[in-house]
Amino acid sequence: MMKTLYDVAVIGGGVVGGMIARTLSAYDLSLCILEKNHDVARGASAANSSIVHAGFDAKEGSMKARMNVRGSEMMEAVCRELGVKYQNNGSLVLGFDADDRTTLEELLVRGNANGVKDLRIIEQDELRALEPNIAKEATCALHAPTGGIVCPYELTLASIGNAMDNGAELFTEFEVSEIRDNGSDFTVIAKNGNEINARFVINAAGLFADAIAKMVGDDSFTIHPRRGEYLLLDRECGGLVKNTIFRTPGKMGKGLLVTPTVDGNLLVGPTSVDQEDKTDKSTTLEGLSLIRNKSAENAEGVPFGKTITSFCGLRAVGSVGDFIINMPRERFVNVAGIESPGLSSSPAIAEYVLELLKNTDLALEKKADFNPIRPATHAFREGSIEEKNEMIKKDPAYGRIICRCEGVSEGEILAAIRQNPRPRDLDGVKRRTRAQMGRCQGGFCSPYIVEMLAKEWGLPFEAITKFGGESIINFERTKEEN
């Protein structure tokens, strides 16, 4: 039974909760992060478009617009501090007819009002010069050079890891079932019976933020999931386009996109379908077929034969049409309805929450020893031959390649297992190292990674799962070890 009193508890181990925790870890506070899953970055932060939006789409004056533009401006510096890959690749919204041009002109006016820099509409000749593989039927485009791309789960892991390195505690498998207001603090109770007490609670629970809010009597909003399916193509396909390519947006979102990723893959999608089930992340033949057909309207020659995986993410769509960031009662902060552009906005949302807390009785004294820097986890993979040889001399494990598709070494996997927040399952190692993300999708390297996890955690081989819970990989050994 855990009953420790914290100054602040952040509910939710996604990118928004991670950014908030990291920001607060710069202050002399006792701080914890409560995540219901086996690992962090398991919700929307694990499966989205990876786009740092410029900020031209959100309605002028909205919380989305303010947080998006500010967050986009902050993102490059934040990623540099956290050792996370970021590319300022720019974005293009394609126009095909007169109606599209009218929409692009409206987006241009809106983007300028939101403070997005260097927006302009370009014509077909310039568009083709910028992107040779763009659809021939495209006649113009809105060009946003401040747009970028980032790895969402890498950013989440790094922000939470940096918060932990600066004193925050992480409790996984802590599914909040009840919150009791004790007057001067809250008791937060998990489904498994564990408890913590906290003077302030920040609700960053994604799809389940409405349920958390109701636990303290706030029923002012609801959250429903919007599913988005994607196809991920091999790394050799990432050069098909340089910019992130959008269609003109509709009422269900920014539409289907074609984009490179920071790791060199090509990503196409998403679909956009509202549903009731907050846990169903299955892909469908209908959705994946739609992606194939529609992406061909944006760019020519998308090599779908080199698709290596498909996946589905769920966006947390709030009932009020904007981000919900408020204090419905004393010492409780809602950070809810953070759909797109939530990833782009996350550093600014954390900054905004800090300002809200400054208007309370929470003592916010800056730490003298706060360290905002987290070493990059991909230094070996991206190093020169000389740098790699030097690392191998210091630790021979870096010379043993475990994942052949992605070229990930034993040393990198061991470093990831030993670094905050520590992974306990195969998918956790995948998100941290890219091992299992190549063409064979872990067919070769998974048994070796399971063995490494078991040894590092002191667990039986068959106790290691794919993503926690009942995702069992090995039921029993077929023979005794020698």
Side-chain angles (χ1 to χ4, degrees):
M1 187 73 69
M2 302 152 41
K3 292 187 178 179
T4 307
L5 177 63
Y6 293 88
D7 290 314
V8 181
V10 179
I11 301 175
V15 69
V16 173
M19 281 291 175
I20 292 169
R22 184 207 182 215
T23 298
L24 294 180
S25 71
Y27 294 83
D28 192 14
L29 301 169
S30 55
L31 171 67
C32 69
I33 306 158
L34 309 177
E35 167 55 45
K36 74 171 188 172
N37 289 303
H38 197 53
D39 195 6
V40 300
R42 284 287 312 279
S45 300
N48 61 57
S49 302
S50 311
I51 308 303
V52 182
H53 294 283
F56 52 77
D57 188 57
K59 184 179 178 181
E60 303 96 308
S62 65
M63 182 70 75
K64 283 184 181 179
R66 291 164 52 199
M67 297 297 104
N68 186 171
V69 175
R70 173 62 179 154
S72 180
E73 291 172 347
M74 297 172 70
M75 189 63 76
E76 185 172 6
V78 167
C79 289
R80 189 183 310 116
E81 288 181 341
L82 292 175
V84 172
K85 285 175 282 188
Y86 165 87
Q87 289 180 27
N88 173 214
N89 67 319
S91 61
L92 292 165
V93 186
L94 303 184
F96 291 82
D97 53 31
D99 288 341
D100 283 351
R101 181 179 286 273
T102 298
T103 301
L104 297 185
E105 290 171 349
E106 292 171 354
L107 291 176
L108 176 62
V109 171
R110 184 181 301 166
N112 287 333
N114 289 345
V116 181
K117 297 175 182 176
D118 302 324
L119 273 179
R120 64 190 182 96
I121 293 176
I122 61 176
E123 304 303 330
Q124 190 175 53
D125 288 349
E126 186 176 358
L127 174 59
R128 294 288 295 180
L130 193 62
E131 289 288 357
N133 294 315
I134 212 73
K136 288 186 174 66
E137 295 79 9
T139 59
C140 58
L142 179 67
H143 184 213
T146 59
I149 50 177
V150 70
C151 177
Y153 44 84
E154 185 182 356
L155 184 61
T156 305
L157 291 162
S159 59
I160 291 176
N162 188 234
M164 294 174 70
D165 292 343
N166 283 287
E169 294 184 64
L170 170 66
F171 299 111
T172 56
E173 298 182 302
F174 196 109
E175 183 176 353
V176 177
S177 60
E178 184 181 355
I179 301 176
R180 296 175 187 163
D181 189 344
N182 304 317
S184 60
D185 63 76
F186 295 98
T187 299
V188 185
I189 304 167
K191 196 173 182 179
N192 61 12
N194 286 332
E195 299 179 6
I196 63 99
N197 282 26
R199 293 184 57 227
F200 287 77
V201 170
I202 298 173
N203 171 21
L207 280 169
F208 301 91
D210 52 351
I212 299 297
K214 285 180 181 178
M215 292 178 191
V216 297
D218 178 18
D219 59 0
S220 62
F221 66 93
T222 58
I223 302 290
H224 77 266
R226 180 169 294 163
R227 64 186 290 110
E229 296 172 65
Y230 295 86
L231 290 171
L232 184 70
L233 280 66
D234 203 354
R235 293 179 71 178
E236 66 184 67
C237 308
L240 183 75
V241 294
K242 297 176 183 177
N243 293 259
T244 297
I245 311 298
F246 295 97
R247 293 294 293 270
T248 51
K251 65 178 183 178
M252 295 294 284
K254 298 175 178 65
L256 190 141
L257 58 84
V258 178
T259 185
T261 72
V262 289
D263 292 299
N265 297 84
L266 188 73
L267 182 68
V268 293
T271 56
S272 185
V273 179
D274 288 334
Q275 65 180 39
E276 294 297 322
D277 191 338
K278 293 187 177 184
T279 60
D280 180 11
K281 297 182 182 180
S282 58
T283 55
T284 64
L285 177 61
E286 179 185 13
L288 300 180
S289 297
L290 178 66
I291 292 171
R292 289 175 63 102
N293 294 334
K294 288 293 185 181
S295 61
E297 297 176 7
N298 290 357
E300 298 176 347
V302 178
F304 287 108
K306 295 178 180 178
T307 299
I308 58 174
T309 192
S310 61
F311 62 92
C312 177
L314 301 179
R315 288 157 274 180
V317 181
S319 56
V320 305
D322 200 358
F323 292 163
I324 303 160
I325 309 175
N326 58 28
M327 294 186 70
R329 61 184 301 164
E330 190 178 6
R331 296 174 289 101
F332 185 91
V333 181
N334 279 320
V335 186
I338 311 299
E339 55 178 319
S340 180
L343 174 64
S344 316
S345 304
S346 57
I349 291 172
E351 186 180 66
Y352 186 82
V353 169
L354 177 62
E355 291 304 312
L356 285 180
L357 294 175
K358 286 181 178 178
N359 294 318
T360 70
D361 63 355
L362 182 66
L364 289 166
E365 301 269 343
K366 271 287 190 87
K367 286 179 182 173
D369 60 348
F370 172 69
N371 182 7
I373 306 301
R374 176 180 163 98
T377 59
H378 37 77
F380 181 81
R381 186 164 65 249
E382 297 181 351
S384 65
I385 293 295
E386 293 76 18
E387 290 169 332
K388 288 179 178 179
N389 285 337
E390 192 60 34
M391 292 182 74
I392 292 168
K393 283 181 183 178
K394 293 179 180 178
D395 184 352
Y398 281 96
R400 294 189 284 272
I401 298 301
I402 300 298
C403 174
R404 295 180 179 181
C405 296
E406 293 290 318
V408 182
S409 69
E410 179 184 329
E412 292 166 278
I413 294 170
L414 288 173
I417 296 172
R418 295 166 182 171
Q419 183 182 40
N420 286 327
R422 297 182 64 195
R424 300 178 66 96
D425 52 49
L426 277 177
D427 280 6
V429 171
K430 178 195 289 187
R431 287 190 293 273
R432 288 159 175 83
T433 67
R434 290 191 60 81
Q436 313 161 72
M437 282 194 180
R439 295 179 183 180
C440 83
Q441 289 288 287
F444 175 80
C445 61
S446 291
Y448 297 94
I449 299 171
V450 169
E451 190 171 32
M452 293 166 70
L453 282 165
K455 184 177 180 180
E456 286 293 308
W457 284 100
L459 295 170
F461 186 88
E462 54 270 28
I464 303 302
T465 63
K466 179 168 172 54
F467 49 79
E470 299 300 316
S471 60
I472 298 169
I473 303 167
N474 304 288
F475 287 88
E476 60 182 332
R477 291 185 179 272
T478 56
K479 63 180 181 179
E480 293 294 326
E481 294 181 85
N482 293 328

